[in-house]
Amino acid sequence: MERTEEHTRRRSIDRLSDLPDAILCHILSFLPTQKSISTSVLARRWRYLWAYVPTLDFRHENQEIIERVMILHKVQTISTFRLFHYSDCSNYRLETWITFAIARNVQKLQLLFHLTKSALPRCLFTCKTLVDLRLNYFGIIPMSCPVCLPRLKILHLICVQYEADEALPRLLASCPVLEELEIESCMDSFSSKISSPTIKRLTLSFPAPDRSNNCYTLEINTPALVYLRLVAGVHDHIKSGALTSLIEADIHFYKVHKQRGFDRFRYVPEFINRLCSVKFLKLNLAYYKKVMHHLNCACIFFTDGI
């Protein structure tokens, strides 16, 4: 029985090996990079074919493997470059890895470095080919370097740091075709503006601050917005311009420190009344029954959870 299964498996691999190189590279692009290199069941012909795959996906690989792949990789255009790395490494190595992807005209770049506050390479903010950029727990958005991302359509900033409050508005102003923005803040306080005539999908998450006196101040000016998801505290200062294009909204205001006065809630009715024209609205104000009485919006459905 085991010999029959082994024979069937080898015949399947042999059939795959008869496929053109372009199709084999496409198949390999769905595997994590290390698996593409080390899978022992692949035929001899596949052994170095991974070097021509346009997708590089590193997940918790050691630094030597990452650098070996970069040295041997043959493709001059990378469609996707993912790097999930939890181990400590030098700023020089981080910059080398990111610069490698940018030098090969990367289109989608996703970086996750747990609890790393290293400076991002300047060349990242002038990448002409970048369409999708996702930073998770990594990097500081600068104020001093030039910024120009002419093709960027998707931007996710998850628990990154900002050199100054003006760093985010300056970044967004340099993304003329941006359509999707996601921001999750891990800072105790945050004050900024989100202004863009092209953003269609916006996701914002501001967790409860550690200190009761801290809050988030945010001004939203996105006239083309069709989808909005917001997780914030009732005490946060959330303002927005006209949301006439908005179709769907998912809003969750969480419970805050019990010592905060009701006067801190005044921004909630003002913000929610801007949502009256949406077709699909999910709103969580379960903790704040008093706030509901101050709303003039008649089309709201209240929920008990996100």
Side-chain angles (χ1 to χ4, degrees):
M1 184 67 178
E2 292 181 359
R3 290 184 178 180
T4 302
E5 292 178 354
E6 179 66 20
H7 179 69
T8 302
R9 183 172 58 182
R10 289 185 178 276
R11 287 184 61 187
S12 299
I13 293 173
D14 290 339
R15 291 194 190 99
L16 287 173
S17 297
D18 292 335
L19 295 173
D21 286 353
I23 296 178
L24 294 179
C25 285
H26 181 70
I27 294 172
L28 287 174
S29 67
F30 290 97
L31 295 174
T33 301
Q34 176 60 11
K35 289 185 179 179
S36 299
I37 299 172
S38 62
T39 304
S40 60
V41 298
L42 296 179
R44 184 183 298 269
R45 177 181 165 218
W46 292 47
R47 185 170 298 173
Y48 297 106
L49 195 59
W50 63 267
Y52 298 91
V53 172
T55 297
L56 292 180
D57 190 349
F58 300 100
R59 298 177 184 267
H60 321 303
E61 312 296 351
N62 63 54
Q63 299 176 19
E64 289 71 21
I65 289 177
I66 294 174
E67 293 179 354
R68 175 172 173 261
V69 170
M70 290 181 179
I71 291 172
L72 298 176
H73 199 250
K74 305 298 184 182
V75 177
Q76 294 302 310
T77 299
I78 296 177
S79 60
T80 301
F81 185 91
R82 296 188 189 93
L83 183 54
F84 297 173
H85 193 72
Y86 287 163
S87 302
D88 292 334
C89 58
S90 66
N91 287 342
Y92 173 77
R93 268 185 163 165
L94 292 176
E95 184 170 351
T96 300
W97 296 344
I98 297 172
T99 303
F100 166 86
I102 295 172
R104 283 158 179 76
N105 304 310
V106 65
Q107 296 177 6
K108 181 176 181 179
L109 180 62
Q110 186 173 2
L111 305 171
L112 189 154
F113 288 80
H114 189 60
L115 300 178
T116 300
K117 297 182 179 180
S118 301
L120 291 163
R122 289 173 174 260
C123 60
L124 175 62
F125 297 98
T126 54
C127 182
K128 300 287 192 282
T129 60
L130 202 56
V131 176
D132 187 333
L133 174 61
R134 306 177 190 225
L135 303 177
N136 298 62
Y137 296 90
F138 174 62
I140 300 173
I141 305 300
M143 270 295 297
S144 54
C145 72
V147 181
C148 180
L149 298 168
R151 297 184 60 191
L152 192 68
K153 292 185 177 182
I154 299 174
L155 177 61
H156 290 191
L157 302 173
I158 310 300
C159 293
V160 302
Q161 303 292 319
Y162 301 91
E163 189 175 348
D165 290 344
E166 296 79 15
L168 178 60
R170 183 170 176 267
L171 173 61
L172 298 181
S174 302
C175 304
V177 296
L178 189 65
E179 296 181 358
E180 178 180 321
L181 175 63
E182 179 177 351
I183 295 176
E184 181 178 336
S185 177
C186 295
M187 299 184 295
D188 287 338
S189 61
F190 181 81
S191 178
S192 192
K193 295 181 180 180
I194 295 178
S195 180
S196 169
T198 58
I199 291 179
K200 296 179 180 179
R201 296 182 63 86
L202 179 60
T203 301
L204 303 170
S205 179
F206 303 109
D210 294 334
R211 294 187 289 268
S212 60
N213 291 328
N214 289 342
C215 66
Y216 297 95
T217 301
L218 189 68
E219 185 176 336
I220 302 172
N221 181 19
T222 52
L225 198 66
V226 296
Y227 173 83
L228 171 64
R229 173 171 167 80
L230 173 65
V231 179
V234 173
H235 61 284
D236 293 333
H237 300 180
I238 310 292
K239 296 183 178 181
S240 75
L243 297 172
T244 54
S245 300
L246 194 64
I247 296 175
E248 181 178 356
D250 184 355
I251 312 298
H252 176 78
F253 286 106
Y254 53 73
K255 191 173 184 179
V256 294
H257 196 277
K258 61 178 63 177
Q259 294 181 357
R260 297 183 187 275
F262 186 75
D263 61 319
R264 302 292 293 274
F265 301 165
R266 64 184 183 276
Y267 293 95
V268 176
E270 294 175 6
F271 175 76
I272 293 177
N273 282 325
R274 297 245 182 215
L275 307 177
C276 289
S277 61
V278 302
K279 295 182 179 180
F280 306 97
L281 177 58
K282 183 178 180 181
L283 176 63
N284 185 342
L285 281 176
Y287 289 119
Y288 303 98
K289 305 298 183 181
K290 293 182 179 180
V291 178
M292 299 179 186
H293 299 300
H294 291 258
L295 300 177
N296 297 321
C297 183
C299 63
I300 296 176
F301 296 91
F302 298 99
T303 67
D304 292 329
I306 299 179

